[in-house]
Amino acid sequence: MFKILAIALLIVSCKQEEKIAMASETDSKKYEPNWESLAKHKADPEWFHDSKLGIYFHWGVYSVPAYGSEWYPYRLYRTDVYPDYKEYHEKNYGKLEEFGYHDFIPMFKAEKFDAENWADLFKAAGAKFAGPVAQHHDGFAMWDSELNPWNSADMGPKKDITGEILTALKKRGLKTMTSFHHARLRQRHDGDSAKWDTYNSHFAYHPDYPTSSDDADLKKFYGNMPQKEFDQYWLDQVNEVVDKYSPDMLWYDVWLNHVAEDKIEEMAAHFLNHGLETGQEPVLIAKHDDLPKNMSVLDIEQGGKKDVSQDVWMTDITVSDKGSWCYTHGQVYKSPELLLRNMIDVWSKNGVVLLNISPMADGTINKEQRELLTGVGSWLDTYGEAVYGTRPFHIYGFGHAKAADGAHGGQSAKVKYTEDDIRFTTSKDKKSLYVFLLGKPKPGTKINLGKLNNIGYGPATPVKRVVELKSGKEVEWERTERSHSFVIPEGIELSGLANVFKMELE
C-alpha cells in the first residue's frame, strides 16, 4: 500500500516538474513588446508555406444596402463628392439626418448564416485556412464583444459570427484567421471643418449627422474619440479576439501607421505569446510597411509579385470581377479560368492566395460564388499534388501574357493567360518538377520548355520520365542541350482551366 502511494506521489511530482519545466521554457521564449524581441518570431511557419489557399469574407452592415461597395459608409457622408450615394440612400431609406449608417444594423439579420455549411464549402474549395473580416473600417465587430457595444452578438444577427465560423473550421482541421481593418476608423479632422471630407477618416465628421455625436456609444461606432483613447480601443478589441478565439493568423488591412507604434508592438507580443501558450504557430500578415518584414508576411492586394520571391508572401484577391469586395446588387464575377490561372501564377512565385467571397446580408453565398469555389476545389482535388506543400523553381515560368501593374503594387490579379503560358513548382524533396499549362492545349501539340535547358534553368538532376498528372499517363518527351519538350498525348481528358505535367527527376 505504502509502496503504491510512494509511486503515485513520484509520478505526480514528475508531472509537476515537467509542467514547471515547460512553463519555464515558454517564459524564456516569451516576446517583449519591442521590435527587437519580436524579430525572433519566424514569420512563415511550414504549415503556412504549405497551405497555398485561404478564404475570407467581406460581410457586415454594409451588405444591407449592397450598393457601390463596402465603402458605402465612407461615401455616404461625403455628399459633395459622392452625391449618388446620398441620392440612393434617401430614396430607399430616408433622409440622411434621420437614418444614419448605424440604423442599418437591425436590418443585418444573417438569418440564413450556417457556419457548418460555410466551413464545408471552404474545405471543399481546397482552402487550408479561413476566417471572417472581424471588423471592417466601419466599427462593427463581427464577434461577441464585451468592449465594442456595436457587435454581431448583441445587435443585428444576434450571433457570434466569428466564434461560430472559427469553431466550425477548427472541427474540420482548417487553420483560422481574423482580419482587422478598423485602424482607419478614427476621425482625425473633427476640429477643422475644411477637412471634414478628406481621406484620412472613414467617417466624415459633420454636426448634422450622427458621425459627430457625443453619445458614448455612437462615438465608438463612428470613431469620434481622441487618438490616445482610440489607440487603446483598437488594441483591446484585437486582444479580445485573440484571447477568446485563438486564431492562427491576424491579417491587417492598411493604416497601422495611424495607430501608436507601442500599441502595435503590444498587439504583436500579445498574439505571439498567446500562440506560445496554446502551442500554435501564429502568423502576422500586413500590407506595405505596416509591420517589419522580419516578423510578418507581406500581403499585396489584388495583385502579385512579378518574379519568384525568396520570402513567402500573400495576395488577397476577390472572386468579383467588377464592383465590390462585399456583395452588391448586380455583382459580376471572374471566370473560373481567370481566377485559377492567376492563382497558379501566385503559387509559382512563392505566394499564398487569400480568396475573398461576398455573402449577402441574410447569410446566403450565392450560386455563382459557390460554383467558383467548388470549381477551384475540384481542380485542386485532381492537381493538388503540384500545389500544396510545393516550393518555387529557379524561375516561375514563361509565356506571352502581358501583366499590367497592380493598383497596390506588383502585377494585376486579372492577367489573361492561355495554354502558351507556363508555370513551375517543385516538390520539397526536389524529386518532381511540375509544369503548369495555363489553358487547354490540343492533343499532339509539342510543348517546348526552351528556358528549361542544360545550360540555363534546367533541373538539378536528369529527368526520368514525364507524366500527365491527372491520368498518370507517361508522355513522349525529349531533351537536347538547349531545351526540354514533351508532346500532349492523344486520348486523355484535359482540363479547360489548367493542366499539369510532372517531370520525375533522378
Side-chain angles (χ1 to χ4, degrees), residues 61-357:
V61 179
Y62 42 79
S63 304
V64 175
Y67 177 81
S69 78
E70 68 283 352
W71 283 65
Y72 186 96
Y74 168 83
R75 292 168 181 155
L76 180 62
Y77 291 104
R78 286 164 168 78
T79 55
D80 292 339
V81 183
Y82 303 102
D84 57 315
Y85 278 76
K86 182 181 180 182
E87 181 181 346
Y88 174 85
H89 185 86
E90 296 192 342
K91 179 181 178 181
N92 290 279
Y93 305 108
K95 291 290 185 183
L96 188 51
E97 294 85 351
E98 300 168 3
F99 190 103
Y101 178 67
H102 64 281
D103 292 309
F104 281 118
I105 294 174
M107 302 167 68
F108 178 43
K109 298 179 180 179
E111 62 270 26
K112 296 182 181 179
F113 170 61
D114 183 341
E116 301 292 332
N117 178 270
W118 283 27
D120 282 340
L121 176 62
F122 298 165
K123 186 168 185 177
K128 298 301 183 183
F129 61 88
V133 170
Q135 187 172 169
H136 202 252
H137 307 315
D138 65 348
F140 190 77
M142 295 287 281
W143 70 89
D144 184 7
S145 178
E146 300 299 322
L147 301 166
N148 185 343
W150 307 89
N151 70 80
S152 65
D154 293 332
M155 295 182 169
K158 303 289 179 68
K159 298 176 182 179
D160 182 358
I161 302 296
T162 296
E164 289 187 30
I165 191 65
L166 265 57
T167 297
L169 292 167
K170 289 176 182 179
K171 279 166 51 178
R172 288 157 178 79
L174 274 67
K175 299 289 188 179
T176 59
M177 67 161 279
T178 49
S179 82
F180 293 96
H181 310 235
H182 64 304
R184 184 187 172 82
L185 176 64
R186 195 188 90 81
Q187 293 186 25
R188 296 177 170 87
H189 298 305
D190 55 346
D192 187 348
S193 61
K195 295 182 178 179
W196 281 346
D197 285 348
T198 56
Y199 190 68
N200 282 350
S201 306
H202 196 62
F203 290 106
Y205 183 94
H206 197 290
D208 293 341
Y209 303 137
T211 58
S212 65
S213 172
D214 287 328
D215 176 86
D217 285 348
L218 283 174
K219 287 173 71 173
K220 285 187 173 181
F221 188 68
Y222 288 107
N224 186 19
M225 63 182 78
Q227 184 71 51
K228 189 173 182 179
E229 179 184 348
F230 175 80
D231 290 344
Q232 190 63 49
Y233 184 51
W234 175 90
L235 173 64
D236 290 344
Q237 290 183 85
V238 176
N239 286 349
E240 182 179 48
V241 168
V242 169
D243 293 340
K244 201 163 191 174
Y245 306 107
S246 298
D248 298 288
M249 305 162 59
L250 295 184
W251 183 100
Y252 289 99
D253 203 0
V254 291
W255 288 68
L256 292 190
N257 60 318
H258 285 268
V259 176
E261 185 174 8
D262 63 322
K263 299 304 176 187
I264 304 296
E265 292 172 316
E266 286 181 41
M267 173 279 297
H270 181 82
F271 176 54
L272 299 182
N273 286 329
H274 183 82
L276 289 176
E277 294 168 4
T278 58
Q280 293 170 279
E281 296 179 279
V283 182
L284 284 160
I285 303 168
K287 298 178 180 177
H288 308 310
D289 290 323
D290 278 1
L291 288 173
K293 297 300 178 288
N294 59 4
M295 47 77 71
S296 68
V297 172
L298 172 68
D299 179 272
I300 302 174
E301 180 179 336
Q302 292 280 47
K305 296 273 189 176
K306 294 184 177 182
D307 207 338
V308 176
S309 171
Q310 294 301 310
D311 296 322
V312 184
W313 57 282
M314 175 183 275
T315 180
D316 60 310
I317 60 175
T318 186
V319 297
S320 60
D321 188 38
K322 296 178 182 178
S324 172
W325 291 73
C326 80
Y327 177 79
T328 53
H329 301 301
Q331 193 167 48
V332 177
Y333 303 102
K334 293 174 180 173
S335 69
E337 296 83 0
L338 182 68
L339 181 64
L340 181 64
R341 292 171 190 173
N342 278 271
M343 290 166 62
I344 292 170
D345 178 73
V346 171
W347 295 327
S348 74
K349 297 172 180 174
N350 211 20
V352 174
V353 174
L354 176 59
L355 187 61
N356 173 73
I357 62 168

Side-chain angles (χ1 to χ4, degrees), residues 328-462:
T328 53
H329 301 301
Q331 193 167 48
V332 177
Y333 303 102
K334 293 174 180 173
S335 69
E337 296 83 0
L338 182 68
L339 181 64
L340 181 64
R341 292 171 190 173
N342 278 271
M343 290 166 62
I344 292 170
D345 178 73
V346 171
W347 295 327
S348 74
K349 297 172 180 174
N350 211 20
V352 174
V353 174
L354 176 59
L355 187 61
N356 173 73
I357 62 168
S358 310
M360 300 170 72
D362 65 1
T364 298
I365 300 173
N366 64 18
K367 179 182 177 182
E368 294 91 337
Q369 295 181 75
R370 284 181 175 271
E371 288 180 347
L372 275 175
L373 292 182
T374 54
V376 168
S378 177
W379 188 90
L380 283 167
D381 278 344
T382 302
Y383 302 103
E385 175 189 332
V387 177
Y388 301 120
T390 59
R391 297 296 181 261
F393 189 51
H394 310 305
I395 57 172
Y396 64 84
F398 55 92
H400 303 297
K402 301 298 181 185
D405 289 342
H408 303 276
Q411 68 180 42
S412 167
K414 295 169 65 173
V415 181
K416 294 182 179 179
Y417 296 107
T418 70
E419 66 272 12
D420 294 325
D421 295 294
I422 293 173
R423 296 293 182 266
F424 303 115
T425 61
T426 65
S427 59
K428 287 184 187 180
D429 62 8
K430 306 297 183 184
K431 294 294 185 181
S432 300
L433 175 62
Y434 300 100
V435 181
F436 296 77
L437 308 183
L438 305 187
K440 184 179 180 180
K442 294 179 181 179
T445 302
K446 184 176 183 179
I447 306 299
N448 193 332
L449 307 177
K451 291 191 177 183
L452 216 68
N453 56 56
N454 292 345
I455 57 174
Y457 296 96
T461 55

